[in-house]
Amino acid sequence: MSRAAEPTVDLAAAEAQGLTQEEFENLCHILGRDPNHTELGIASALWSEHCSYKSSKAYLREFPTQGAHVLQGPGENAGVVELGHGWVAVFKMESHNHPSYIEPYQGAATGVGGILRDIFTMGARPIALMNALRFGSIDAPRMRHLVDGVVRGIGDYGNCMGVPTIGGETDFHPSFNGNILVNAFALGVARRDSILRARASGPGNPILYVGSRTGRDGIHGATMASESFDADSEEKLPTVQVGDPFTEKILLEACLQALKSGAVVALQDMGAAGLTSSSFEMASRGRTGLVLNLDKVPRREPGLTPWEIMLSESQERMVLVAQRGKEDVLRHVFERWGLEVETIGEVTATGRAVIRDQGKVVADLPIRPLTDGAPVYRRPALEPAGLAERQTKAKVPDPGDPAKALTKMLDTPELGSKSWIWQQYDHTVRTNTVRGPGGDAAVVALKGTPLGIAMTCDVNPVYCYLDPRTGAMQAVAEAVRNLACVGAEPLGVSDCLNFGNPENPEVSWQFRESVRGISEACRALDVPVISGNVSFYNETEGESIHPTPAISMAGVLPDLTNLPATGFVEAKDQVILLGVDHGEHGGSAYMRLLHGVEQGLPPAVDLAAEGSLAALLRYLAFDGALRSAHDVSTGGLGVALAEACFEHGLGADLKLPVDPVGFFSETQARAVISVTPKAVDGVLAEAERRGVPALVVGAVGGDSLKLNLDGTKSKIQVAELHSVWSTALPRALEL
Amino acid sequence: MKARVTIYPRPEVLDPQGKAVHQALTRVGFDGVNSVRVGKSFDIELKTRSQPLAMKQLEAMCDKLLANRVMEVYEIEILGKAGK
Amino acid sequence: MKARVTIYPRPEVLDPQGKAVHQALTRVGFDGVNSVRVGKSFDIELKTRSQPLAMKQLEAMCDKLLANRVMEVYEIEILGKAGK
Amino acid sequence: MKCGVVVFPGSNCDHDVYHVLKHLLNVETVFLWHDDADLKGSDLVVLPGGFSYGDYLRAGAMAGLSPIVDEVRRHAEAGGLVLGICNGFQILLEMGLLPGAMRRNLGQRFLCRDVHLEVVRDDLAFTSQYSVGQILRMPVAHAEGNYFDTPKNLDALEKNRQVVFRYCDPGGGPDDPNGSERGIAGICNRDGNVFGLMPHPERCSEELLGNVDGLALFSSVMKSAAAAMEVEA
Ligand SMILES: Nc1ncnc2c1ncn2[C@@H]1O[C@H](COP(=O)(O)OP(=O)(O)O)[C@@H](O)[C@H]1O
Ligand SMILES: [Mg+2]
């Protein structure tokens, strides 16, 4: 194409691509001239919120990222922690919110595809997936369609890949009516010495393009993820990215095989901002430069401009830096798997990206000034108006018959079983799933070792709305607790920070507070942040979502012999309550679901108490004393006890130290465990030694849950409760 | 009134199914194929006997449920008055 | 030569997909529907410009790969000479 | 005894079956690449689960045309053992080595959960370690497992004793998680040397996974192979 046909570059063009006046001037200053159209496209993609983290970077530095187990913290495609026995775990969580709202099936599917590529670019084989989903009210427009599409999209992609989806979170809240959240998590394993970092090093080394051909898919995706939805969003729709899990599966196998050849210097997937961000990031990390010849890029359709090729977000594509002279080895591997492979450029020592098309240079940009030199903003932050009012304690109505109230709570999509979702996910493939979905944390065995790897993801957006700092701390604390319930030691966090528009000072404040809360909790509980993702601009028509700093956490179990169950296992086992209730109902499910009130301070987080509780649970699990353990979280003791009964359809006869209101209180740092009668004394003594309040509240047995709440008696058949709980979600979906 | 609705991915949208079928055909020796696109087909029998009404109903069905306008296009063909 | 191959479950085969679509249509208010069958559609562009040859190739493709004769039937329609 | 596990592009239970055969049962086991028309002397050929070629047309359709498939057919016709699990079963149907076809699940969705199976045949090389009427628990994970054939063919299938496993409830009563005709979960050919089933025995062959109901299927094969060898000797 002739350069003359290119659109003119001026401030208006820059603004149309998402740059501010200041950023545009800065760009011209860096270049020492005006950029051309392609260069402007590249720079605005690199400086988009999604790629540059310009509004979050300054705050994210607060996270603790070091630790004895950490091999790679934030900065690469995914973080890496040591598991032992020469193995490492590689994991990350990422958002795909905007695409999933526009086209739920493809948006969610490609979200899974993207997070999987982040794992295998590091040289690790993905072995587990999780997903954290936030939908609006089930009756909101399009919501059932969104739920259906997102779940099918996640399932079809992960299932076809043969990576089990073993856990996640699903919630419904009106603050997500116009902007759902789809966060995908993947974890892989590798031998310690086979981890690869995405650094383009060694000038003269060829750059290879592998995988699907390039089309016009998702051009501007990164910019779209950096804007809010409004009425004319439909107009700006890019070509929807379609996931091709079959191609990704062979890409995975071929890449892992290619890595074994020793001929790969670096591997990077083309995610947001496609070839632009992948090539710039690789060269930036390697402190090198590169030359790309766009003629060589395999294309799906004719007539793509350099601008489009550089910004396309076609899926299932990789850039690979090969060792010079060993290209043929790699070419052979990829061709055997039937994949396209092309040499599209080479690494240079110039520190510049020189992009050529049909013999002409179409872009020539310095790399590090555009990556490391991207703008950094500390946006003005302001406590939300009306916060104090929101935090005022509301009156808590008496529930009447506790069993009836419990039934009503379990009869909601929020607290009902999520099995309708996870039965659509293959969670048993790879034959490592020791604990699939349905418990506190999922666990996979690591073949060839005695080790287990546990994982969970947690956050309560209502808590975060009422007090982002406490809410974020609670998310970390709950994740640690969930891991402890299976006896796992936490190794690291990958966070996925979903917020509204950061240019809104109230959102900026929520973000800052949340990051502080995560940092504080991670420090206290000794879990470093090793990777993560920020998703801003989650709002519609000016209405922000509730702040949702999702926390995914992975941990390790030294062996799997004594793995406790989530629910009661055998009659006559003694039920012990760990922790004490403080009657906290700010943002509780009881107040929200039964009384429509979302007010007060969220439950306080006592990090020391959480630490002791988790240590106790791990000790008891390792010791073999724990028959079952389940933490108390959303819905309080009532919901935790009901869930404990469901696993084997076993009832319990319990005298609890709470009144009917306290039955649903969400005070933290608590768990319900069951142990054999013989083990009780030892468990109580250990709890006392560690300063964890412990009380025997009754025994497992029978087919009903019998309650004595401070004198109020109530009883319900487990089967009756179970049938309500297990069908609540499909009924709400009108299936 | 019987009608057939045919739904295809928009031309610019990736069609992994079409790609896979094309490759499979080539693999088993059908090398005379230039391209394959895969779509869905719905044979719908309507109560109405009025063609304009049928068209209107079918268009509404496509817009509302059958097709995903973000990435698909549809065609409607009336097959015959009687349920043939 | 452009052709369209349409593949449907045999009439005697229960079509749960068609049933599900029918129910969904009814749920969103389209109550004028008697029945729905769901099939697949393939738009195939062939190199040949001979219609009889094209038919022969397409039939072979259907028998060998595109349709499962245990439960499916196919129709072939030539759409036009040029890759329109 | 030597086992061969076929790897199609998109197979994803290949390593799971390999693990059971090689590591749990200590049998010589090799992978067989779809593009090589060579069974490497395998006595048992396993077509594993997964999404061969993405299952983009119909599950198993495209894999049914791979170069290795002709060898598998020859092996089967010569009386060799062939086991198809999940996608492998679908491929055997598409190849015509087993009768019938798979529709989408009645519920239209992918289904991953434990199901119960009634053992209908215990006189096959694949089932000798089970007994007729025994109830097994096994995981399924599929979207197209809704077995179909015409009533006439189904009658023939039953008459020829080709139904091997049938879905049931935990007590042995009728159940049908995916809508399969007559609750059919697994069938064999007339000679009983080709067996296909939708549930995944390889996913329940280890104590660690909380269920070993599937292991006997693989050990049955080993046992009958050992017996056959004794006869030969
Ligand atoms: N989208 C999902 N995908 C997979 N599993 C899910 C999903 N949503 C919920 N689950 C599973 O359902 C169970 C209940 O979830 P949740 O109530 O969030 O657990 P917890 O309160 O212990 O974190 C968990 O085992 C979780 O892994
Ligand atoms: Mg929990």
Side-chain angles (χ1 to χ4, degrees):
Chain A
M1 74 170 276
S2 82
R3 296 287 290 279
E6 287 203 342
T8 41
V9 169
D10 53 18
L11 179 58
E15 283 175 343
Q17 299 208 24
L19 293 184
T20 63
Q21 179 175 355
E22 199 192 336
E23 288 166 349
F24 179 60
E25 282 163 7
N26 187 6
L27 175 62
C28 297
H29 175 76
I30 288 172
L31 298 188
R33 59 178 165 82
D34 282 2
N36 66 31
H37 174 62
T38 305
E39 291 169 337
L40 178 64
I42 292 172
S44 33
L46 289 171
W47 286 3
S48 69
E49 186 63 58
H50 193 80
C51 293
S52 72
Y53 286 79
K54 57 190 172 191
S55 304
S56 59
K57 217 192 254 172
Y59 300 102
L60 300 182
R61 291 191 189 117
E62 292 175 27
F63 285 151
T65 57
Q66 307 286 312
H69 304 293
V70 179
L71 218 63
Q72 175 66 56
E76 284 282 337
N77 284 308
V80 184
V81 291
E82 207 124 19
L83 291 166
H85 295 261
W87 288 93
V88 296
V90 178
F91 63 93
K92 175 155 192 218
M93 179 146 65
E94 205 164 64
S95 64
H96 227 215
N97 305 337
H98 288 86
S100 302
Y101 188 74
I102 294 173
E103 210 310 282
Y105 179 89
Q106 296 296 348
T110 52
V112 174
I115 195 67
L116 284 169
R117 285 194 296 284
D118 276 336
I119 303 307
F120 66 85
T121 52
M122 302 288 295
R125 176 175 284 280
I127 60 161
L129 287 164
M130 296 195 290
N131 58 104
L133 312 178
R134 317 273 154 197
F135 298 108
S137 305
I138 203 117
D139 291 316
R142 287 182 79 226
M143 205 48 67
R144 289 183 176 85
H145 165 74
L146 291 170
V147 174
D148 172 67
V150 165
V151 171
R152 279 190 302 109
I154 290 171
D156 283 357
Y157 207 102
N159 298 347
C160 186
M161 288 296 290
V163 181
T165 300
I166 60 172
E169 267 202 298
T170 312
D171 208 353
F172 299 85
H173 189 284
S175 98
F176 304 103
N177 280 1
N179 193 316
I180 62 170
L181 303 184
V182 174
N183 295 173
F185 165 99
L187 180 143
V189 291
R191 298 295 296 169
R192 189 187 203 283
D193 50 17
S194 63
I195 282 295
L196 195 69
R197 288 178 176 81
R199 294 179 190 168
S201 51
N205 280 334
I207 299 174
L208 273 55
Y209 172 115
V210 204
S212 291
R213 292 164 170 256
T214 297
R216 291 200 168 84
D217 321 340
I219 290 178
H220 263 343
T223 331
M224 179 178 79
S226 311
E227 282 172 8
S228 307
F229 274 132
D230 46 46
D232 68 344
S233 290
E234 291 244 336
E235 311 282 298
K236 287 190 254 167
L237 284 188
T239 302
V240 171
Q241 305 160 29
V242 170
D244 179 356
F246 170 63
T247 296
E248 176 120 321
K249 167 69 176 166
I250 55 179
L251 191 59
L252 159 70
E253 298 303 332
C255 283
L256 291 182
Q257 203 169 323
L259 294 182
K260 282 201 187 125
S261 70
V264 178
V265 175
L267 192 58
Q268 168 79 42
D269 71 304
M270 291 185 237
L275 190 51
T276 291
S277 70
S278 55
S279 57
F280 274 74
E281 278 173 27
M282 270 217 279
S284 174
R285 291 191 199 109
R287 302 220 175 329
T288 48
L290 48 85
V291 175
L292 295 180
N293 297 304
L294 298 186
D295 317 88
K296 295 284 167 51
V297 170
R299 300 152 196 228
R300 208 169 72 223
E301 51 192 309
L304 292 178
T305 66
W307 185 90
E308 287 173 319
I309 294 172
M310 288 306 289
L311 295 175
S312 158
E313 296 190 0
S314 290
Q315 300 288 297
E316 291 93 20
R317 301 180 303 159
M318 291 277 192
V319 246
L320 182 157
V321 178
Q323 270 178 34
R324 186 164 34 170
K326 293 198 180 158
E327 287 156 271
D328 285 346
V329 182
L330 296 175
R331 192 176 293 276
H332 178 75
V333 171
F334 290 107
E335 282 171 357
R336 181 167 186 267
W337 283 95
L339 284 164
E340 202 114 26
V341 44
E342 280 298 337
T343 303
I344 60 164
E346 78 176 40
V347 180
T348 64
T350 61
R352 296 185 76 83
V354 178
I355 319 289
R356 293 211 189 98
D357 187 47
Q358 295 171 19
K360 271 192 243 150
V361 172
V362 293
D364 182 352
L365 296 165
I367 293 172
R368 296 197 53 223
L370 292 183
T371 53
D372 297 358
V376 174
Y377 299 124
R378 276 184 177 276
R379 308 250 187 218
L382 199 69
E383 195 181 283
L387 185 71
E389 226 167 286
R390 206 184 287 166
Q391 293 180 337
T392 310
K393 202 167 171 172
K395 191 175 162 322
V396 185
D398 188 274
D401 180 0
K404 284 222 180 79
L406 178 58
T407 313
K408 252 170 117 180
M409 287 180 57
L410 295 175
D411 195 10
T412 56
E414 287 85 351
L415 290 177
S417 168
K418 304 302 183 289
S419 62
W420 179 83
I421 293 173
W422 50 256
Q423 281 190 349
Q424 295 180 57
Y425 303 154
D426 190 340
H427 50 266
T428 48
V429 64
R430 298 193 62 80
T431 63
N432 297 320
T433 308
V434 179
R435 285 278 183 279
D440 284 318
V443 181
V444 287
L446 184 59
K447 282 200 177 89
T449 75
L451 302 177
I453 307 167
M455 57 206 88
T456 177
C457 51
D458 297 282
V459 67
N460 184 326
V462 176
Y463 292 173
C464 296
Y465 169 71
L466 295 174
D467 178 2
R469 189 168 187 162
T470 307
M473 278 171 41
Q474 188 276 340
V476 175
E478 178 169 351
V480 168
R481 219 188 300 143
N482 279 336
L483 291 185
C485 282
V486 294
E489 181 96 43
L491 293 176
V493 159
S494 184
D495 61 276
C496 192
L497 309 176
N498 307 275
F499 287 80
N501 180 348
E503 295 155 49
N504 170 348
E506 297 190 350
V507 170
S508 185
W509 179 86
Q510 291 173 330
F511 182 76
R512 195 188 69 194
E513 289 294 297
S514 298
V515 169
R516 287 191 179 155
I518 293 171
S519 304
E520 199 176 327
C522 283
R523 280 207 174 81
L525 296 168
D526 199 16
V527 204
V529 175
I530 64 154
S531 59
N533 170 251
V534 178
S535 169
F536 280 132
Y537 300 95
N538 291 291
E539 61 169 25
T540 311
E541 316 276 340
E543 195 66 41
S544 287
I545 59 160
H546 275 7
T548 309
I551 297 295
S552 67
M553 194 179 285
V556 67
L557 290 96
D559 75 75
L560 292 164
T561 33
N562 293 323
L563 195 63
T566 305
F568 301 143
V569 183
E570 206 169 300
K572 299 215 171 65
D573 280 354
Q574 299 293 297
V575 180
I576 299 176
L577 195 56
L578 300 176
V580 285
D581 178 49
H582 299 306
E584 288 164 289
H585 272 288
S588 75
Y590 171 74
M591 290 297 283
R592 187 155 62 92
L593 301 176
L594 296 196
H595 301 288
V597 177
E598 198 172 293
Q599 200 180 314
L601 278 170
V605 176
D606 177 345
L607 292 169
E610 295 282 4
S612 316
L613 173 68
L616 172 67
L617 287 167
R618 286 195 297 265
Y619 175 87
L620 295 177
F622 185 67
D623 192 45
L626 275 190
R627 293 291 283 260
S628 77
H630 185 28
D631 77 318
V632 177
S633 59
T634 315
L637 199 47
V639 169
L641 287 170
E643 288 172 347
C645 291
F646 293 153
E647 194 166 321
H648 293 99
L650 275 172
D653 191 347
L654 306 172
K655 189 170 182 311
L656 298 165
V658 289
D659 63 12
V661 166
F663 192 48
F664 300 109
S665 139
E666 295 184 8
T667 295
Q668 300 293 299
R670 291 186 295 160
V672 176
I673 63 173
S674 69
V675 307
T676 60
K678 275 211 314 253
V680 170
D681 292 343
V683 169
L684 293 179
E686 189 60 34
E688 187 172 0
R689 199 173 72 73
R690 291 169 184 267
V692 178
L695 181 70
V696 179
V697 293
V700 178
D703 57 5
S704 53
L705 179 59
K706 292 184 194 147
L707 300 166
N708 178 340
L709 303 177
D710 233 9
T712 307
K713 289 192 181 166
S714 184
K715 178 179 153 181
I716 187 159
Q717 294 274 321
V718 173
E720 186 186 335
L721 214 48
H722 181 268
S723 101
V724 165
W725 173 78
S726 60
T727 57
L729 179 56
R731 270 187 289 116
L733 288 168
E734 294 179 348
L735 290 166
Chain B
M1 178 79 64
K2 224 176 146 175
R4 174 167 293 173
V5 173
T6 311
I7 300 181
Y8 274 93
R10 291 181 180 278
E12 70 274 18
V13 168
L14 175 71
D15 174 17
Q17 267 189 296
K19 193 176 114 193
V21 170
H22 187 178
Q23 283 172 350
L25 287 171
T26 309
R27 217 168 32 237
V28 295
F30 295 104
D31 43 16
V33 179
N34 278 333
S35 79
V36 181
R37 304 281 289 174
V38 179
K40 279 172 285 193
S41 185
F42 299 84
D43 275 9
I44 301 179
E45 217 184 288
L46 295 171
K47 295 206 175 106
T48 177
R49 298 181 62 85
S50 136
Q51 181 148 342
L53 188 61
M55 278 305 280
K56 242 185 75 185
Q57 289 183 350
L58 291 163
E59 272 168 24
M61 289 177 198
C62 286
D63 290 335
K64 188 139 190 186
L65 188 79
L66 301 180
N68 176 347
R69 300 309 309 282
V70 180
M71 49 188 293
E72 291 173 330
V73 286
Y74 60 81
E75 290 167 30
I76 298 173
E77 190 190 350
I78 301 290
L79 295 181
K81 278 252 146 93
K84 67 152 182 189
Chain C
M1 178 81 62
K2 226 176 148 177
R4 175 167 293 174
V5 172
T6 311
I7 298 181
Y8 273 91
R10 289 180 181 281
E12 69 272 21
V13 176
L14 177 77
D15 174 19
Q17 239 184 311
K19 213 175 103 188
V21 171
H22 188 177
Q23 283 170 350
L25 285 169
T26 310
R27 206 166 39 230
V28 296
F30 295 104
D31 41 17
V33 179
N34 278 334
S35 80
V36 181
R37 305 276 293 170
V38 180
K40 277 174 280 198
S41 185
F42 301 82
D43 275 9
I44 301 181
E45 217 185 288
L46 295 171
K47 296 208 173 101
T48 180
R49 297 180 65 84
S50 140
Q51 183 148 341
L53 188 62
M55 278 307 280
K56 240 183 75 182
Q57 289 182 352
L58 290 163
E59 273 169 23
M61 287 177 200
C62 285
D63 290 334
K64 186 137 191 187
L65 180 71
L66 300 181
N68 180 330
R69 303 308 307 281
V70 176
M71 55 177 190
E72 292 173 330
V73 285
Y74 59 82
E75 290 168 30
I76 298 172
E77 190 191 350
I78 301 290
L79 295 180
K81 277 254 150 86
K84 70 157 181 186
Chain D
M1 178 76 190
K2 184 171 177 180
C3 303
V5 178
V6 181
V7 182
F8 296 100
S11 290
N12 63 33
C13 307
D14 42 350
H15 288 268
D16 300 355
V17 178
Y18 182 92
H19 171 71
V20 173
L21 294 169
K22 173 89 176 240
H23 300 131
L24 303 181
L25 293 172
N26 294 310
V27 186
E28 183 185 0
T29 307
V30 291
F31 287 116
L32 306 172
W33 184 242
H34 70 110
D35 228 0
D36 304 337
D38 182 3
L39 302 183
K40 296 186 184 164
S42 303
D43 302 292
L44 167 70
V45 176
V46 184
L47 305 184
F51 288 75
S52 51
Y53 297 96
D55 281 351
Y56 282 160
L57 177 57
R58 280 184 315 280
M62 293 191 254
L65 300 175
S66 291
I68 199 158
V69 150
D70 293 328
E71 292 307 309
V72 175
R73 196 188 307 276
R74 254 192 285 279
H75 177 73
E77 280 162 4
L81 296 176
V82 178
L83 171 64
I85 302 170
C86 196
N87 196 228
F89 183 15
Q90 295 161 336
I91 294 168
L92 290 173
L93 296 174
E94 287 286 340
M95 285 172 66
L97 273 185
L98 292 175
M102 286 297 176
R103 294 167 299 195
R104 276 192 79 75
N105 292 348
L106 193 59
Q108 298 299 304
R109 291 172 191 280
F110 191 93
L111 181 68
C112 178
R113 68 162 167 96
D114 277 355
V115 298
H116 290 85
L117 303 172
E118 181 198 344
V119 178
V120 185
R121 290 271 310 256
D122 61 5
D123 56 342
L124 298 173
F126 303 97
T127 57
S128 61
Q129 303 293 296
Y130 297 119
S131 45
V132 167
Q134 189 181 343
I135 292 169
L136 311 175
R137 181 165 60 92
M138 270 189 210
V140 291
H142 60 247
E144 292 178 50
N146 182 346
Y147 183 76
F148 171 81
D149 210 335
T150 59
K152 197 172 120 233
N153 290 347
L154 288 169
D155 289 344
L157 198 70
E158 307 245 21
K159 190 164 140 269
N160 297 327
R161 303 180 59 234
Q162 285 174 257
V163 177
V164 181
F165 288 151
R166 231 188 274 276
Y167 298 110
C168 64
D169 69 19
D175 189 23
D176 206 346
N178 53 24
S180 289
E181 298 290 349
R182 308 189 189 182
I184 287 170
I187 58 172
C188 62
N189 62 348
R190 279 190 179 215
D191 292 334
N193 62 313
V194 177
F195 175 35
L197 76 167
M198 285 317 289
H200 285 277
E202 78 282 13
R203 298 189 188 181
C204 51
S205 289
E206 241 176 311
E207 281 301 348
L208 186 65
L209 302 175
N211 184 358
V212 292
D213 282 2
L215 189 62
L217 193 152
F218 301 101
S219 52
S220 293
V221 179
M222 301 317 137
K223 193 118 180 195
S224 68
M229 259 188 259
E230 243 166 63
V231 171
E232 263 171 46

